[in-house]
Structures are given as structure tokens and as C-alpha cells.
Amino acid sequence: MTGSAPDWAAGLAGLPDTLPPGRFVLRDGTERSAEEAGDSVMWLSDEPVDGIVHWWGAAQERQQETGLRPVFVGWPDSGPAPCESADVDAIDGEEWLATSWEQYRRSRRRLQYDPGPPYESWPGLAPAPARIPDPEAAARRAVADTCPRLPQGRQHLGLVAAARSADIPALTGWPGSARQLCPAELSAVLRTWEDRFGARVLGMTGSMLYVSVAAPPTGPEQSVHMALEHLLLCPANIYQSFSETFPRYAVRLRDESVWSFWWD
């Protein structure tokens, strides 16, 4: 965060007294006890917690008053230096996608995955729907549906002092996408999805990112357009699957309320 350091004591005081034991992760990747918050990027539970859906929801319900946004974390890892929100401000998400489009069209690694017409030129961002349901309610439903099905088992609870959910990967310096794009670039694109579709970051497990979507694509034209943005952000979602093709991927996005991404 830019400006003064977040008031962690005040934020944590607004959460339930029975919050699981945890520690603070500082900007240099070191950890401190609750009494030594310092310039922390995240509060993290010491152990994976039972009832992560409950804890995630309880923290989210208080996030406006505490300033702390919840995230479930599978394997806490230190990565690139955490970014400031200003680093994300400096990146235009649409411009980043347009540049990625140009690079993609030059490489066209596997023609069977190429979307082809009508995208012979950058089509711009997929348009937002006329109405976006409550993104926070959609996020709670998505966490309740996603966490019990995760193969990694129990998750840590994380709390991040972020003004926007999309900024969580950047502010924490999440390493999952770092071999392909920096956390600030990832958050810049997520901001466009937050604005257009009511997206919220739910959790980060290893190199997997989970995002809820309040207004997912509903028809073939919108789902193909949105699938293109997914391909530009995370090619591995298609290229690393033996059975996936771009058309199949686009169909799967229709009415899908949770988007997941994996970077190798």
C-alpha cells in the first residue's frame, strides 16, 4: 500500500476474537509475531485451518471496517518483492492485453488453439454485462463451492491490506505467475475483470490462482471473447492440457462462476 503502513492492530481487532494463531509476513519475506507487524504485506495463519470457508466469510464480512481482505493460501511461499498499489496503477490492463495479443499472433505456437476469425486484429476488451450481481456474495458462494474440492487439502487463511481484491497478488508478491508475468501485471488485468465482471481473488495455492466472477459470460460470442483474454493472461490453461482446445475452453467459460489459472 502507498502512504503510511496499514494499522494492523486496528484491523485485526475488528475480526473475531477466536481468529486462528498467525504471524505477519514482512516485505522482505521474513515473519514476525502479532506484536511486531511492522511493514507487513499479509497476516497468515500459522497452520492450515479447519473451516476455511467460515473464516474466509467472516473476514470478508468485516473487510470494509477492517481494511483487510481474505485470501486462502495453500503453500505460503516467498516470491518477488511485493509491489505497491502505485505499481499496479502504472500498468494499463487493456494495453497489457493488447501487447500480449501482438506477441501471441506473432508466435501462434499451435494453430489448433488459435481463435482465428473474427480476431485477425485486437478486438479490445470483452464488453461488460448490463448488470453485475453482488460481487461479494458471489465470492462467498464461490469459496464455499471451491475450497472443499481442492486437492491440496486444508488451506491457510491470509489477510491482506488491499483497497481492491485484484491487488492481492501484487501486494503480497505472489510468486505463482512470476515466470510468465510480474504480480503487478497480473493485478492490472484482474482490475479490468473486477470492473467489468465483478471478479474477486479468492485464493492462491502454489501456482494456482482462483477468482470468483459475479457476471460470467453467458453466450458464445462473449465466452469466446473472454476466453481470448484468459489465453493472453495464462496460456498454460490451454497449452498445458492434452485435451483442451480454444473452442472447448470458451464453451466451458459460459456461466462459470469460478475461474482458475495455472502458470508452470
Side-chain angles (χ1 to χ4, degrees):
M1 302 289 286
T2 56
S4 59
D7 188 346
W8 284 100
L12 294 176
L15 292 168
D17 294 338
T18 53
L19 196 68
R23 73 274 192 189
F24 290 95
V25 180
L26 275 62
R27 297 189 65 81
D28 62 2
T30 60
E31 299 178 355
R32 294 290 186 274
S33 67
E35 293 75 26
E36 304 174 289
D39 187 17
S40 304
V41 298
M42 177 168 57
W43 177 92
L44 192 67
S45 65
D46 288 333
E47 302 291 340
V49 298
D50 293 319
I52 185 66
V53 173
H54 162 75
W55 289 114
W56 198 101
Q60 190 221 39
E61 288 177 355
R62 295 169 172 83
Q63 66 187 8
Q64 292 305 316
E65 49 195 277
T66 64
L68 306 178
R69 293 184 178 272
V71 60
F72 62 78
V73 181
W75 298 287
D77 291 318
S78 59
C83 304
E84 303 280 353
S85 57
D87 298 323
V88 186
D89 295 340
I91 300 171
D92 184 293
E94 180 174 7
E95 289 183 4
W96 189 91
L97 286 168
T99 299
S100 296
W101 159 259
E102 296 299 334
Q103 296 169 346
Y104 164 69
R105 292 296 289 179
R106 285 195 296 269
S107 63
R108 295 184 66 167
R109 290 185 290 176
R110 300 180 182 179
L111 294 180
Q112 66 265 36
Y113 296 128
D114 193 278
Y119 300 130
E120 294 302 326
S121 60
W122 168 239
L125 296 179
R131 175 180 172 273
I132 299 178
D134 181 358
E136 305 302 340
R140 288 192 295 275
R141 291 192 298 270
V143 164
D145 180 61
T146 301
C147 284
R149 297 188 289 112
L150 291 179
Q152 297 89 356
R154 296 189 305 158
Q155 307 293 310
H156 293 256
L157 174 66
L159 300 171
V160 183
R164 300 184 59 156
S165 172
D167 291 357
I168 289 175
L171 295 179
T172 59
W174 180 60
S177 68
R179 294 180 64 182
Q180 305 294 326
L181 71 164
C182 75
E185 293 171 329
L186 172 58
S187 286
V189 174
L190 291 174
R191 280 185 178 186
T192 74
W193 294 350
E194 185 176 305
D195 294 338
R196 286 178 289 150
F197 308 107
R200 296 291 187 269
V201 171
L202 304 178
M204 308 174 295
T205 66
S207 58
M208 290 285 297
L209 175 73
Y210 295 88
V211 178
S212 66
V213 192
T218 58
E221 183 176 348
Q222 189 184 31
S223 64
V224 167
H225 202 156
M226 198 64 239
L228 176 61
E229 294 189 24
H230 282 216
L231 175 63
L232 298 176
L233 182 73
C234 184
N237 268 24
I238 294 176
Y239 290 148
Q240 297 297 326
S241 171
F242 293 110
S243 60
E244 195 67 278
T245 65
F246 184 89
R248 281 200 205 104
Y249 188 84
V251 168
R252 288 201 300 106
L253 283 186
R254 296 181 199 174
D255 301 310
E256 179 57 60
S257 59
V258 179
W259 295 343
S260 61
F261 302 91
W262 173 72
W263 289 269
D264 59 3

